[in-house]
Amino acid sequence: EERAEIGAHTLLYPGVYVGRDVRIGERCEIFPQVTLYERTEIGNRVRIHAGAVIGADGFGYAPRIQDGLPVEHQKIFHLGSVTISNDVEIGANSMIDRATFGVTYIGAQVKIDNHVHIGHNSTIQEGTILCGGVCLAGGTVIGKFVYIGGMAGIGNKAVVGDYAKI
């Protein structure tokens, strides 16, 4: 889309969607059917495997209350972005939601397995490994070189310290 930038020696496989204002660094490899929504920024030497979705809206709804009871769910649009640092690998069919406001951030050398979901406004510091099926709710902060084993779930706005193992 308009104003997208793709760095030197970056390879996009068939079916990759690059949205408006997306920036992709140098020497990246983006496999088939990856979707990069608007305002996504990707560093250098990043590999994103087939079917991953980066920058979709987070899951956000506010109840509309009438007579003290919820009667409807109102969509909260996410206007922020996603930033992925250098030397990151993202597994097939993983999802990284864009921030409501601000940035969902993935630090350098983070390794994300297949079928991982990272909620809006989350921050993952450098060197962390997320194994298959991990789910981080919105606003989660993960420290440096944390290892999270398969199928683990981390709740809203939780903070996991550096070097932790879950």
Side-chain angles (χ1 to χ4, degrees):
E1 297 286 340
E2 58 187 318
R3 296 183 307 275
E5 298 175 14
I6 300 171
H9 307 289
T10 286
L11 176 60
L12 302 180
Y13 283 81
V16 171
Y17 172 77
V18 179
R20 188 178 67 246
D21 296 316
V22 168
R23 282 186 238 132
I24 303 171
E26 297 180 356
R27 300 188 183 284
C28 295
E29 195 167 10
I30 315 292
F31 290 94
Q33 307 306 320
V34 168
T35 299
L36 304 173
Y37 279 77
E38 63 270 9
R39 295 182 309 279
T40 294
E41 184 173 342
I42 297 171
N44 299 317
R45 299 170 305 280
V46 172
R47 292 169 48 93
I48 303 176
H49 291 276
V53 177
I54 313 297
D57 270 1
F59 189 73
Y61 293 90
R64 190 170 70 75
I65 306 297
Q66 186 175 12
D67 298 323
L69 296 171
V71 294
E72 173 177 59
H73 302 290
Q74 183 168 338
K75 172 77 172 154
I76 298 171
F77 291 95
H78 291 68
L79 305 173
S81 62
V82 174
T83 297
I84 297 171
S85 300
N86 296 333
D87 303 304
V88 170
E89 185 153 359
I90 299 168
N93 296 311
S94 289
M95 297 137 299
I96 302 173
D97 295 340
R98 74 169 158 248
T100 309
F101 299 104
V103 178
T104 299
Y105 176 77
I106 310 299
Q109 300 179 40
V110 168
K111 309 305 179 196
I112 299 171
D113 197 359
N114 300 333
H115 297 279
V116 170
H117 180 204
I118 298 169
H120 62 88
N121 293 86
S122 291
T123 296
I124 301 174
Q125 297 296 337
E126 68 177 293
T128 286
I129 291 180
L130 305 176
C131 296
V134 165
C135 186
L136 307 181
T140 301
V141 177
I142 306 294
K144 297 177 184 177
F145 292 91
V146 171
Y147 295 88
I148 302 179
M151 300 302 289
I154 310 291
N156 256 358
K157 299 181 181 177
V159 176
V160 176
D162 295 348
Y163 311 107
K165 291 180 175 61
I166 297 174

